[in-house]
């Protein structure tokens, strides 16, 4: 009777454990999926966040008055009505693009609080199967952060979804569009510091009119060198200064604008009448070409969306409508009043209109605001590169956290020095604002157009908006952006080619890297080892099983990778416990830590083989350290406990197809084992061929001694969960070895010239200079085992 009571008690405890671990529940998942939409902030906190957003989000937009009117009228002004017409265009551009399009519409298209081009792409990938690398599975949709909608079969959204998924060309087209927008945003990160700092330091020439432009360029270059050299310290220690500096700047330009309106010419207030826009275009070709300068008044608008992750939408909306928008309107109107009364003082009009006593204080605030604007753009570039890296679209570069408090504050030394070199080259090469402004305008309008085109499927699939609203949004956006685009195209030969060259270079790098990554994944998928072959080897896998845990890293989320067959064919022993670890990134901004790991068993229990999929979002940072290893092992033990609760056990994997046997099992040719430094680090290389086949290998003896060997005949088939847990703990105590696959791809001899250049030279060069997997995972050198192979595409 006591035994039966204990049994019931044990079953009750297991049921209670299973009930507690059955997370996430539907209610909790729904709450987490909508936490950004439902989360409310106290009024005081919201105002404080709105104040802080000034320093991070609006620095670039706020420094535009330093150079807008000079670039509109580089050759002088004909009459006052020309100034009023340009001011009218500035007013309605600020109203339609930053205020209406971004603040009240685009900001709503956030991915659980994350903004930017990749956030839009991740939303689309969740609502339509357009992800190029097919490493996702239905279990990924159970994540609390994986929100998506379902559609009725005959609805417009369902038709759009099927149309996007229907052809590979459309998926590639969306990817290219996203990569192009990303590359232009990186170009923005190069040009913003150049034009902001150069325009701010140009105020020196107002007081010292005999100072040559070369001196201003040298001062700007020195400031830029100091700015990029300080990046490794991070912004956490000085970010508390950003908001006060930018707030003082906005108040300064707002008050100065109001004073100039009253002091010089209040008739410029007629510019609020849109009829002056029509009159401005009637003036002829000159007015049309000046649109490139007018468009500079809305540069920095894309930062409203890109930097959304730092602040809630309401905070940015309050800051823009209460502080930024009114102060910018006052400054542009006041500056237009000054220029209308002083038509020969367009150059450095902002500084010339200042009262003499506040010239130098204003110069100091302007320079500080320009540095803050540059810092925000540089930080956004790091985040963009991190997101591209997570989605397999950029080579592996070093990412460093500069703040223990805010994980979003990162620094990439490789990207930092590249940005610095290009930024200094632009500043010193052009030496004047006009050509840099033309380049800057080209980059900005391209990003805006990409956002407009990506918003169309977002509104149809994610928001399920009526098609008339989608058409209205698209028409109004393009009505403003297309004229600006046509104006900057005319100035490609006057500096507008710079962002195109930058974008083309980054585009080639990103697409070639993504193409190579995709081909490597396709090879792994098509050459998976069949489960029948593994079962035929028996529990010993045809080798001697030695104590310890082998973590085999693979890109496959299902199946046994081909590299494993290469490994056991060339080595005499294998660890008593094997865990195939797949680290993959999903189109979500983050994966909660308690949902990060998926663990499944491969084969019968006495094989002691598992698969662990570690899932990350594009904002997460994978830290392969003791915590990661501990979390992985804890998840493995938890899986063993939960598995024991099941009444029946199946060898099939719920989230992967392991029992599929390929018609021709790809194999490997015999390769040698070569030591590359220490006895514990080896590299096995061979060429693969689709005509080879894997054949069972005989057990090999381990010549290192019998004290550490546990042959297959001596292994116990653990039936009790406690025994298996004890076995796993003993294996962990014996040591953990990290086995990394190193697959090298080469173009076939019959491949085209472009493909050979892209794969054999460019992709190979990128893999050579990028970080190794062992460095990314922080694997100790003495615990590392590299297994390599070459295949042809």
């Amino acid at each position: 009777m006591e035994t039966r009571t204990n049994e019931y008690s044990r079953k009750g405890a297991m049921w209670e454990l299973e009930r507690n671990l059955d997370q996430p529940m539907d209610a909790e998942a729904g709450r987490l999926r909508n936490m950004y939409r439902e989360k409310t902030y106290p009024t005081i906190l919201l105002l404080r966040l709105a104040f802080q957003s000034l320093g991070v989000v609006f620095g670039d937009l706020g420094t535009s008055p330093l150079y807008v009117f000079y670039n509109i009228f580089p050759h002088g002004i004909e009459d006052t009505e020309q100034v009023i017409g340009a001011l009218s265009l500035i007013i309605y551009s600020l109203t339609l693009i930053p205020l209406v399009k971004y603040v009240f519409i685009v900001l709503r298209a956030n991915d659980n609080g994350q903004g930017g081009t990749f956030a839009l792409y991740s939303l689309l990938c969740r609502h339509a199967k357009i992800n190029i690398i097919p490493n996702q599975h239905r279990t990924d949709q159970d994540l609390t952060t994986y929100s998506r909608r379902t559609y009725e079969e005959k609805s417009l959204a369902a038709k759009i979804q099927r149309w996007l998924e229907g052809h590979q060309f459309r998926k590639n087209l969306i990817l290219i569009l996203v990569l192009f927008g990303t590359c232009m945003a990186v170009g923005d990160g190069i040009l913003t510091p150049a034009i902001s700092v150069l325009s701010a330091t140009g105020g020196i020439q107002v007081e010292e009119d005999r100072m040559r432009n070369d001196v201003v360029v040298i001062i700007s270059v020195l400031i830029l060198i100091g700015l990029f050299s300080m990046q490794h310290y991070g912004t956490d220690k000085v970010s508390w200064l950003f908001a006060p500096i930018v707030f003082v700047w906005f108040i300064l330009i707002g008050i100065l604008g109001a004073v100039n309106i009253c002091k010089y010419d209040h008739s410029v207030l007629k510019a609020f009448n849109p009829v002056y826009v029509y009159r401005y275009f009637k003036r002829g070709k000159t007015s049309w070409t000046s649109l490139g300068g007018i468009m500079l008044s809305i540069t920095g608008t894309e930062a409203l969306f890109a930097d959304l992750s730092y602040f809630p939408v309401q905070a940015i909306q309050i800051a823009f409508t209460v502080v930024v928008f009114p102060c910018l309107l006052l400054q542009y109107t006041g500056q237009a009043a000054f220029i209308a009364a002083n038509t020969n003082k367009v150059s450095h009009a902002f500084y010339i209109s200042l009262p003499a006593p506040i010239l130098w204080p204003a110069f100091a605030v302007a320079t500080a605001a320009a540095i803050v604007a540059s810092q925000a753009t540089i930080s956004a570039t790091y985040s963009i590169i991190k997101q591209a890296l997570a989605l397999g679209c950029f080579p592996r570069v070093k990412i460093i956290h500069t703040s223990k408090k805010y994980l979003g504050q990162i620094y990439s030394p490789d990207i930092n020095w590249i940005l610095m070199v290009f930024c200094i080259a632009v500043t010193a090469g052009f030496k004047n604002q006009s050509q840099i402004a033309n380049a800057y305008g080209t980059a900005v309008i391209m990003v805006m157009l990409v956002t407009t085109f990506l918003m169309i499927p977002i509104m149809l699939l994610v928001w399920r908006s009526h098609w008339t609203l989608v058409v209205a949004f698209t028409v109004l956006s393009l009505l403003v952006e297309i004229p600006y685009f046509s104006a900057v195209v005319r100035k490609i030969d006057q500096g507008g080619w710079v962002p195109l060259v930058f974008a083309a270079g980054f585009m080639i790098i990103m697409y070639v890297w993504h193409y190579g990554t995709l081909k490597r994944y396709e090879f792994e998928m098509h050459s998976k080892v069949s489960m029948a072959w593994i079962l035929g080897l028996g529990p010993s896998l045809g080798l001697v099983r030695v104590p310890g845990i082998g973590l085999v890293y693979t890109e496959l989320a299902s199946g046994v990778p081909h590299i494993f067959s290469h490994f056991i064919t060339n080595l005499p022993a294998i660890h008593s416990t094997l865990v195939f670890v797949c680290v993959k990134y999903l189109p979500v901004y983050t994966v909660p830590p308690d949902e990060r790991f998926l663990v499944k068993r491969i084969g019968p229990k006495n094989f002691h083989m598992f698969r662990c999929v570690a899932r990350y979002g594009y904002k997460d940072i994978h830290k392969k350290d003791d915590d990661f290893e501990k979390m992985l092992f804890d998840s493995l033990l938890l899986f063993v406990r939960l598995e024991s609760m099941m009444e029946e056990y199946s060898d099939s994997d719920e989230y992967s197809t392991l029992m599929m046997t390929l018609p021709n099992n790809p194999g490997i040719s015999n390769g040698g084992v070569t030591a590359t430094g220490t006895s514990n680090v080896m590299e096995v290389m061979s060429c693969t061929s689709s005509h080879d086949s894997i054949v069972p290998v005989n057990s090999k003896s381990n010549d290192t001694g019998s004290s550490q060997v546990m042959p297959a005949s001596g292994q116990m088939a653990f039936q009790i969960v406690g025994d298996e847990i004890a076995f796993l703990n003993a294996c962990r105590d014996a040591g953990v070895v990290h086995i990394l696959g190193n697959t090298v791809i080469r173009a076939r001899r019959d491949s085209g010239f472009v493909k050979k250049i892209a794969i054999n030279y460019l992709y190979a060069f990128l893999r050579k200079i990028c970080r190794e997997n062992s460095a990314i995972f922080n694997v100790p050198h003495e615990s590392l085992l590299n297994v390599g192979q070459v295949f042809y595409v």
Side-chain angles (χ1 to χ4, degrees), residues 313-595:
V313 173
Q314 287 179 307
I316 295 179
Q317 290 174 336
I318 291 173
F320 185 83
T321 55
V322 175
V323 178
V324 178
F325 188 63
C327 290
L328 286 176
L329 290 183
L330 284 172
Q331 171 55 213
Y332 284 118
T333 306
Q335 203 171 143
F338 172 81
I339 294 173
N342 303 272
T343 55
N344 60 337
K345 296 181 179 180
V346 180
S347 179
H348 303 300
F350 172 79
Y351 286 111
I352 298 175
S353 66
L354 288 170
I358 66 169
L359 175 61
W360 289 112
F363 170 77
V365 175
T367 304
I371 293 174
V372 171
S374 304
Q375 175 61 56
T377 308
I378 294 169
S379 299
T381 304
Y382 297 151
S383 299
I384 290 172
I385 296 298
K386 166 66 181 66
Q387 295 175 10
L389 190 152
L391 295 179
C393 297
F394 201 82
R396 297 183 295 268
V397 294
K398 189 174 184 179
I399 302 293
I400 300 174
H401 284 278
T402 58
S403 172
K404 296 181 179 179
K405 185 177 180 181
Y406 303 103
L407 289 179
Q409 294 185 6
I410 59 177
Y411 162 71
S412 175
D414 305 322
I415 301 301
N416 180 70
W417 301 123
I418 291 175
L419 291 180
M420 187 188 75
V421 171
F422 285 150
C423 188
I424 293 175
V426 169
T427 305
F430 288 125
K431 298 182 181 180
N432 64 78
Q433 298 180 21
S434 296
Q435 289 182 316
I436 299 179
N438 294 336
Y440 191 28
T442 304
V444 171
I445 196 63
M446 294 292 186
V447 176
M448 290 183 179
L449 286 171
V450 169
T451 301
T452 299
F453 291 133
L454 289 178
M455 281 295 297
I456 296 174
I458 290 292
M459 296 179 72
L460 291 171
L461 293 179
V462 182
W463 293 353
R464 303 179 71 175
S465 303
H466 195 273
W467 66 269
T468 55
L469 297 177
V470 180
V471 171
F473 169 82
T474 306
V475 170
L476 288 177
S477 297
L478 295 181
L479 189 64
V480 179
E481 293 166 358
I482 291 297
Y484 283 139
F485 174 75
S486 64
V488 299
V489 167
R490 293 172 177 264
K491 296 185 178 183
I492 288 181
D493 60 336
Q494 303 174 29
W497 57 269
V498 174
L500 297 178
V501 171
F502 288 151
F506 279 100
M507 186 81 173
I508 292 173
I509 291 174
M510 296 174 76
Y511 193 81
V512 168
W513 183 264
H514 186 271
Y515 177 79
T517 302
L518 176 62
K519 289 301 179 182
R520 289 176 59 223
Y521 185 82
E522 289 178 349
F523 167 77
E524 296 285 355
M525 283 291 295
H526 296 323
S527 61
K528 290 189 299 185
V529 178
S530 68
M531 196 62 194
W533 182 75
I534 293 180
L535 293 176
L537 297 178
S540 67
L541 298 178
L543 303 172
V544 176
R545 304 292 292 267
V546 298
I549 296 180
L551 300 181
V552 183
Y553 291 87
T554 175
E555 297 181 3
L556 291 180
S558 63
V560 178
H562 183 274
I563 200 75
F564 176 69
S565 63
H566 184 40
F567 174 70
I568 64 175
T569 304
N570 289 275
L571 293 180
I574 195 68
H575 301 88
S576 53
T577 299
L578 291 174
V579 182
F580 294 93
V581 182
C582 171
V583 178
K584 71 174 183 177
Y585 287 88
L586 301 177
V588 295
Y589 75 103
T590 187
V591 175
D594 56 346
E595 302 178 46

Side-chain angles (χ1 to χ4, degrees), residues 49-64 98 102-103 107 113 115 188 192 239 242-243 246-247 249-250 298-321 324 328 369 372-380 440:
L49 292 172
F51 175 76
Q52 293 175 351
S53 69
L54 292 173
V56 176
V57 178
F58 300 103
D60 190 7
L61 191 63
T63 55
S64 297
Y102 277 87
V103 172
L107 288 185
D188 190 10
T192 296
S239 58
F242 288 178
V246 178
F247 179 73
W249 170 253
F250 275 115
I298 57 176
T299 55
T301 302
E302 66 281 355
L304 296 177
F305 189 44
D307 295 329
L308 183 60
S309 60
Y310 295 99
F311 305 98
V313 173
Q314 287 179 307
I316 295 179
Q317 290 174 336
I318 291 173
F320 185 83
T321 55
V324 178
L328 286 176
V372 171
S374 304
Q375 175 61 56
T377 308
I378 294 169
S379 299
Y440 191 28

Side-chain angles (χ1 to χ4, degrees), residues 119-179:
L120 296 178
Y121 185 61
S122 69
L123 281 174
L124 288 178
C125 288
R126 294 206 301 270
H127 290 79
K129 296 178 181 178
I130 60 174
N131 195 6
I132 304 299
I133 300 180
N135 64 342
Q136 299 178 37
H137 194 264
R138 58 181 177 81
T139 54
D140 298 333
Q141 301 176 13
D142 297 331
L143 290 171
T144 53
T145 54
Y146 199 104
S147 57
R148 59 170 299 173
R149 292 175 179 267
T150 56
Y151 316 106
E152 297 180 0
E153 185 176 357
K154 296 183 178 180
S155 64
L156 177 61
K159 295 178 181 178
I160 297 295
Q161 182 187 37
R162 290 193 295 269
W163 184 81
L164 290 175
E165 298 173 352
H167 200 281
Q168 188 67 28
F169 172 77
R170 296 166 193 150
K171 300 178 183 180
N172 289 327
L173 185 63
I174 293 177
L175 176 64
I176 292 174
L177 183 65
V178 170
L179 294 183

Side-chain angles (χ1 to χ4, degrees), residues 679-717:
S679 59
N680 292 330
V681 183
M682 291 175 287
E683 185 173 352
V684 184
M685 299 292 294
S686 74
C687 280
T688 65
S689 172
S690 59
H691 302 290
D692 297 335
S693 61
I694 297 177
V695 295
V697 295
N698 297 326
S699 299
K700 302 178 182 179
S701 60
N702 186 5
D703 54 4
T704 60
S706 59
S707 59
Q708 296 294 326
V709 177
M710 184 168 51
S713 59
Q715 293 182 350
M716 297 180 58

